[in-house]
Amino acid sequence: MSIGALGMLVGAVSFAYLGTQAPQGTRHFYAITFVIALIAFLSYLVMATGGGATLVGDRVFYYARYVDWVFTTPLLLLDLALLALARPGRNVGLIVGIIVLDLFMILTGLWAGATEGAGRYFLWFISTAAMVALLYLVVTRLFAAARTQSPGVQQVFRTLAILTVVLWSLYPIVWLLGTEGFGTVGITTEVALFLVLDLSAKIGFGFLLLTNRQALGEISSGGAARPARVS
Ligand code: RET
């Protein structure tokens, strides 16, 4: 957990620094991604110091993860949506829809993790169904919208969206294998796996986005080929 806290801190500080050199009109990407890393840092710090966990039956349940995820996953999706949509204001319905599915996924996941009996697998299934629906929206609607953006933006969007689909799909699998699920792997392995996923999905994602000055520069110069309107 202290490795997680350190990794997130390095990310947050780097994103804040990169933000001081943000191309005009792209500051919001730096701000959102900085806040993601900061929230994750605080969550890992709490867990590293022995907090954010409780006993469910005879297993230790780290609810601090879910507090982190409930704030950071909508922000990650917002980064993706703002990248894909040339006119986010015209697609508020789509953005809200994706975020509502995401919150539903995290909250039913939290409920599953806090449940002792076999009913937790049903909640896991509901949560995973919401994840599939939200990733489907990302792959269909956001990909379509991104096609109207400049080549650099399209490229970085595609990379980040694929990274998101792949990494996010691994979370329910780790959950099932770990102590909340079948207990195939112990708590140490579970913590390590979530750590790698969290660092890749937040800090890896952030670096790929924020160091791509060419794509961000195209946004700042209004480089969209055609304003997107998907509905
Ligand atoms: C849970 C368990 C129940 C089923 C599903 C889950 C999905 C979690 C996801 C988390 C993503 C977190 C990220 C964090 C920050 O980087 C809650 C594990 C579907 C997709 C990306």
Side-chain angles (χ1 to χ4, degrees), residues 129-209:
M131 183 189 77
V132 170
L134 96 84
L135 293 180
Y136 176 78
L137 284 179
V138 169
V139 168
T140 54
R141 307 289 289 274
L142 290 188
F143 260 85
R147 270 195 279 279
T148 64
Q149 298 277 38
S150 64
V153 174
Q154 280 189 42
Q155 184 57 49
V156 69
F157 172 79
R158 216 173 289 140
T159 307
L160 292 176
I162 291 169
L163 185 79
T164 299
V165 170
V166 171
L167 291 175
W168 288 37
S169 303
L170 296 173
Y171 279 85
I173 298 172
V174 170
W175 190 98
L176 267 191
L177 295 178
T179 56
E180 285 105 329
F182 301 125
T184 318
V185 303
I187 186 78
T188 314
T189 311
E190 179 192 331
V191 166
L193 290 173
F194 273 133
L195 178 65
V196 171
L197 288 181
D198 278 349
L199 281 173
S200 315
K202 291 187 172 90
I203 307 303
F205 179 105
F207 271 111
L208 283 173
L209 174 62

Side-chain angles (χ1 to χ4, degrees), residues 5-229:
L6 188 66
M8 297 300 175
L9 183 63
V10 169
V13 171
S14 312
F15 299 158
Y17 171 73
L18 288 169
T20 62
Q21 302 165 9
Q24 193 91 43
T26 63
R27 277 259 157 86
H28 53 286
F29 286 112
Y30 293 81
I32 294 170
T33 315
F34 166 73
V35 170
I36 291 170
L38 188 67
I39 293 173
F41 164 64
L42 293 174
S43 158
Y44 271 102
L45 191 64
V46 166
M47 292 190 282
T49 52
T54 186
L55 277 180
V56 172
D58 55 3
R59 66 183 155 92
V60 178
F61 173 55
Y62 284 103
Y63 60 82
R65 293 188 187 297
Y66 295 81
V67 179
D68 165 345
W69 294 345
V70 90
F71 294 110
T72 58
T73 53
L75 291 173
L76 284 165
L77 293 168
L78 192 61
D79 262 343
L80 275 182
L82 292 177
L83 200 56
L85 301 164
R87 299 263 181 94
R90 292 217 202 155
N91 293 283
V92 173
L94 175 61
I95 299 175
V96 170
I98 291 177
I99 290 179
V100 166
L101 278 169
D102 175 67
L103 292 174
F104 181 82
M105 170 190 85
I106 299 298
L107 293 175
T108 47
L110 168 65
W111 190 10
T115 301
E116 227 188 306
R120 66 186 193 277
Y121 294 113
F122 175 70
L123 291 163
W124 173 91
F125 179 78
I126 300 287
S127 174
T128 303
M131 183 189 77
V132 170
L134 96 84
L135 293 180
Y136 176 78
L137 284 179
V138 169
V139 168
T140 54
R141 307 289 289 274
L142 290 188
F143 260 85
R147 270 195 279 279
T148 64
Q149 298 277 38
S150 64
V153 174
Q154 280 189 42
Q155 184 57 49
V156 69
F157 172 79
R158 216 173 289 140
T159 307
L160 292 176
I162 291 169
L163 185 79
T164 299
V165 170
V166 171
L167 291 175
W168 288 37
S169 303
L170 296 173
Y171 279 85
I173 298 172
V174 170
W175 190 98
L176 267 191
L177 295 178
T179 56
E180 285 105 329
F182 301 125
T184 318
V185 303
I187 186 78
T188 314
T189 311
E190 179 192 331
V191 166
L193 290 173
F194 273 133
L195 178 65
V196 171
L197 288 181
D198 278 349
L199 281 173
S200 315
K202 291 187 172 90
I203 307 303
F205 179 105
F207 271 111
L208 283 173
L209 174 62
L210 301 182
T211 58
N212 199 321
R213 297 186 60 86
Q214 194 199 329
L216 292 170
E218 287 171 8
I219 293 176
S220 74
S221 58
R226 182 157 40 91
R229 170 90 173 96

